[in-house]
Amino acid sequence: MANVSERTKFFTESVIRRMTRISNEYNAVNLSQGFPDFEPPLELKEELQKAALNGPHQYAITWGAPNFLEALAKKQSRFMGIPIEPQKNIVVTCGSTEAMMAALMSVVNPNDKVIVFSPFYENYGADTILIGAVPIYVHLTPPSFSFDKKALREAFLQRPKAIIICNPGNPTGKVFSEDELLYIASLAEEFDTWVITDEVYEHIVYRPHKHTYFASLPNMFKRTISCSSLSKTYSITGWRLGYIIASEEVINAARKVHDFLTVGAAAPLQEAAVKALYFEDSYYEELLSHYAHKKELFLKLLDEANLKYIDPEGAYYVMVDISEFNVKDDVEFCEWLAREVGVAAVPGSIFFKENIQSFIRFHFAKKDETLLEAGKRLLRLRSARKRYV
Ligand code: GLN
């Protein structure tokens, strides 16, 4: 019998998404895979209804429907502070997941090196394996999750083709400062390296922190491939609308990759989402205060449960320190937590290259009542653990 490919042997199915299935099995409060349990804006659902009735129902133009591209170019130019041409600088993808994969495939060759900060978002591990690249991991040290400048320079000395920056960071909640980004920019320039950014949490950055778009740093637009999506900003993770923004040269390559990977993102969903891209500034301010409130509420519940955590600067995740439980296997711990305490988390070890079993990741993109229920259950964590050990 023929074997499955070698490349599929080096990574497992997504643990984040497996935790959702485990959570469902035990009827736990699912704070593992990051997606809201509240509704997207009503106007968007109305637009979707209109699109259902009036179309389009056939393929959109491969790299994005013209009205979607135009609205997205306007919105991103406004926030990124750089001119973006709808027909030259954008490819619309099936979520940021495809955007990242297409970005990597567009600029990285097999056996090229790619710098990945650790901890890193789970997908980057599989992404680098699937494109045959060799990751160089650079440690981000908790609690600030900052990098050692010397270590990063040493990584660049290995001549990587690209570096991946997730900002604001998943799972860390780290927001890179402008100084940190300028240092990375100087290395990227010196070593002629592509910079691939994952900025899906661009609008969820808690004050006084500020999001800096890497592409907007001096001279960086030409070497940055900015990936993001509408999933988190408009609470539509299931619509799978993402995009790549880059120079025309990169976009010409990315268009080809995307064309053969997926043909295109769903046409009726692009049509409906145009409305969101024209939302005014007040929408983004409300989104931020909505998440600032959720963060405050959830951190208070963690305090009440006497759990230690790293206060996130952005995104909607929090790394909880479980070192007091002397966990040998945090995957097993998270399964136990879902089963016996009724709250699902993601084992932190899946995000680290290093063998670190002392964190679990919760997300707080949930209704207040859901978070309160999780908080109530977490109060029982210690006594349940004592019975278990
Ligand atoms: N980005 C979310 C997370 O980290 C969901 C990922 C996914 O399943 N696509 O949990």
Side-chain angles (χ1 to χ4, degrees):
M1 185 66 197
N3 291 327
V4 297
S5 76
E6 287 302 310
R7 67 171 73 84
T8 60
K9 294 181 186 158
F10 297 108
F11 61 97
T12 61
E13 56 165 300
S14 158
V15 177
I16 297 180
R17 294 181 273 284
R18 181 152 67 87
M19 284 314 303
T20 283
R21 294 194 292 274
I22 289 175
S23 180
N24 292 346
E25 189 181 329
Y26 296 123
N27 212 6
V29 179
N30 187 6
L31 303 187
S32 60
Q33 187 183 15
F35 61 89
D37 68 347
F38 42 83
E39 293 293 294
L42 178 62
E43 296 118 287
L44 275 193
K45 293 196 292 181
E46 287 167 352
E47 289 298 305
L48 186 57
Q49 200 171 28
K50 279 191 226 155
L53 289 175
N54 306 329
H57 291 293
Q58 310 309 325
Y59 302 124
I61 299 283
T62 306
W63 22 89
N67 57 343
F68 185 90
L69 284 175
E70 196 179 319
L72 181 62
K74 282 201 180 114
K75 186 233 157 195
Q76 288 308 117
S77 292
R78 177 154 66 100
F79 284 101
M80 296 171 83
I82 42 180
I84 295 163
E85 289 207 38
Q87 290 299 338
K88 289 190 181 154
N89 300 126
I90 306 180
V91 182
V92 179
T93 57
C94 299
S96 192
T97 298
E98 189 210 334
M100 288 296 292
M101 179 64 92
L104 281 159
M105 290 183 102
S106 302
V107 297
V108 175
N109 293 309
N111 300 318
D112 278 347
K113 292 176 182 141
V114 176
I115 298 180
V116 178
F117 287 109
S118 168
F120 56 92
Y121 175 50
E122 192 188 27
N123 281 33
Y124 311 153
D127 287 351
T128 46
I129 291 167
L130 283 170
I131 62 161
V134 182
I136 309 172
Y137 292 99
V138 174
H139 187 59
L140 294 175
T141 312
S144 68
F145 292 111
S146 36
F147 55 83
D148 176 52
K149 285 189 168 174
K150 230 177 95 217
L152 187 61
R153 189 172 172 80
E154 270 158 26
F156 271 91
L157 280 166
Q158 295 180 52
R159 301 272 160 191
K161 190 78 190 294
I163 177 170
I164 296 176
I165 305 173
C166 183
N167 184 35
N170 178 4
T172 57
K174 178 185 174 60
V175 173
F176 284 86
S177 70
E178 192 168 327
D179 276 356
E180 287 174 311
L181 294 175
L182 283 170
Y183 181 70
I184 300 173
S186 68
L187 291 174
E189 193 82 341
E190 182 181 343
F191 294 96
D192 196 12
T193 307
W194 293 107
V195 178
I196 302 175
T197 66
D198 178 348
E199 297 179 296
V200 297
Y201 303 98
E202 64 200 283
H203 294 292
I204 309 176
V205 175
Y206 306 107
R207 298 201 172 91
H209 302 282
K210 221 181 124 268
H211 181 64
T212 305
Y213 290 93
F214 199 88
S216 67
L217 294 175
N219 272 332
M220 283 301 117
F221 184 71
K222 63 179 187 317
R223 65 171 66 255
T224 307
I225 301 117
S226 307
C227 300
S228 191
S229 89
L230 279 67
S231 292
K232 318 291 183 193
T233 304
Y234 307 108
S235 308
I236 48 172
T237 61
W239 289 27
R240 315 307 301 126
L241 289 178
Y243 53 89
I244 299 174
I245 291 178
S247 68
E248 198 175 352
E249 181 203 354
V250 172
I251 290 300
N252 284 341
R255 279 181 165 192
K256 291 189 281 183
V257 175
H258 161 75
D259 194 1
F260 287 103
L261 272 179
T262 61
V263 178
L269 297 175
Q270 290 188 56
E271 177 68 25
V274 167
K275 180 93 176 180
L277 296 168
Y278 286 111
F279 282 165
E280 312 223 315
D281 286 355
S282 57
Y283 174 81
Y284 301 93
E285 281 151 27
E286 273 160 37
L287 178 82
L288 179 59
S289 40
H290 173 80
Y291 277 115
H293 159 77
K294 304 245 167 252
K295 173 172 109 125
E296 196 187 327
L297 172 65
F298 191 59
L299 297 191
K300 195 165 127 264
L301 294 167
L302 292 176
D303 286 334
E304 281 166 13
N306 216 358
L307 289 165
K308 289 197 255 15
Y309 55 82
I310 298 175
D311 195 340
E313 300 166 348
Y316 50 51
Y317 304 98
V318 54
M319 293 290 260
V320 170
D321 184 340
I322 53 158
S323 29
E324 65 171 293
F325 300 104
N326 286 322
V327 167
K328 302 269 171 312
D329 178 348
D330 63 357
V331 175
E332 182 272 342
F333 180 83
C334 283
E335 284 181 17
W336 170 84
L337 190 69
R339 194 177 62 239
E340 302 297 328
V341 181
V343 184
V346 178
S349 63
I350 68 151
F351 302 110
F352 284 94
K353 176 61 187 162
E354 306 81 4
N355 181 19
I356 294 178
Q357 306 272 336
S358 50
F359 291 103
I360 57 174
R361 189 199 77 172
F362 285 122
H363 84 94
F364 48 83
K366 289 283 178 264
K367 290 179 192 151
D368 287 6
E369 68 213 58
T370 311
L371 295 175
L372 289 166
E373 178 59 31
K376 207 163 80 191
R377 293 181 184 198
L378 285 173
L379 291 175
R380 300 199 298 263
L381 195 161
R382 272 196 194 75
S383 53
R385 191 69 184 170
K386 270 194 205 114
R387 278 200 310 280
Y388 177 73
V389 176

